[in-house]
Amino acid sequence: MCAIDALSISAMLGQDVVISSWDPVDGQPVTVTFTGGSTMWDPQAAVVFVGRRAGTGPAATLCCDTLNFFTDHASAAQWQQEHPEVNGQVVSQARAVEIGQQTFGPLLQDG
């Protein structure tokens, strides 16, 4: 599951969740906890890279492996440099949550 999908789970289900992932550069864990309307990131400097490959096709092919959690901005920048075929940007924690919740949050809501 991509980072943006994972960040939408709490909004889709309307309940607390814990997301466990890892930084694809250094393998260090990244955990995001949604509890009682608050979000806690560990490490606190964690960010998300939001990107996609050029072309047409399903999101699973163009985007899913480019939407990642990173322990910090430097790690995300390194990954981006190592993957010049991917267009995208590093986004803040708040922006990543916002993108996930706006994109997928309403999917399981009535009406």
Side-chain angles (χ1 to χ4, degrees):
M1 173 179 290
C2 79
I4 297 299
D5 292 2
L7 291 169
S8 71
I9 297 296
S10 179
M12 286 192 326
L13 299 177
Q15 62 187 25
D16 297 344
V17 298
V18 176
I19 301 164
S20 299
S21 189
W22 66 92
D23 183 316
V25 173
D26 62 17
Q28 295 299 307
V30 176
T31 303
V32 184
T33 304
F34 291 86
T35 305
S38 296
T39 308
M40 185 176 75
W41 293 66
D42 184 31
Q44 290 182 354
V47 295
V48 173
F49 183 85
V50 177
R52 66 165 287 165
R53 290 182 170 75
T56 59
T61 302
L62 300 176
C63 300
C64 283
D65 68 340
T66 70
L67 302 165
N68 294 306
F69 293 101
F70 292 89
T71 55
D72 58 27
H73 194 280
S75 184
Q78 179 181 340
W79 186 90
Q80 186 176 17
Q81 185 177 9
E82 293 171 357
H83 295 87
E85 77 283 5
V86 176
N87 295 314
Q89 63 183 348
V90 178
V91 298
S92 69
Q93 297 168 1
R95 181 65 181 134
V97 170
E98 179 182 46
I99 293 168
Q101 291 182 350
Q102 286 178 344
T103 304
F104 299 107
L107 290 180
L108 299 180
Q109 295 175 1
D110 290 335

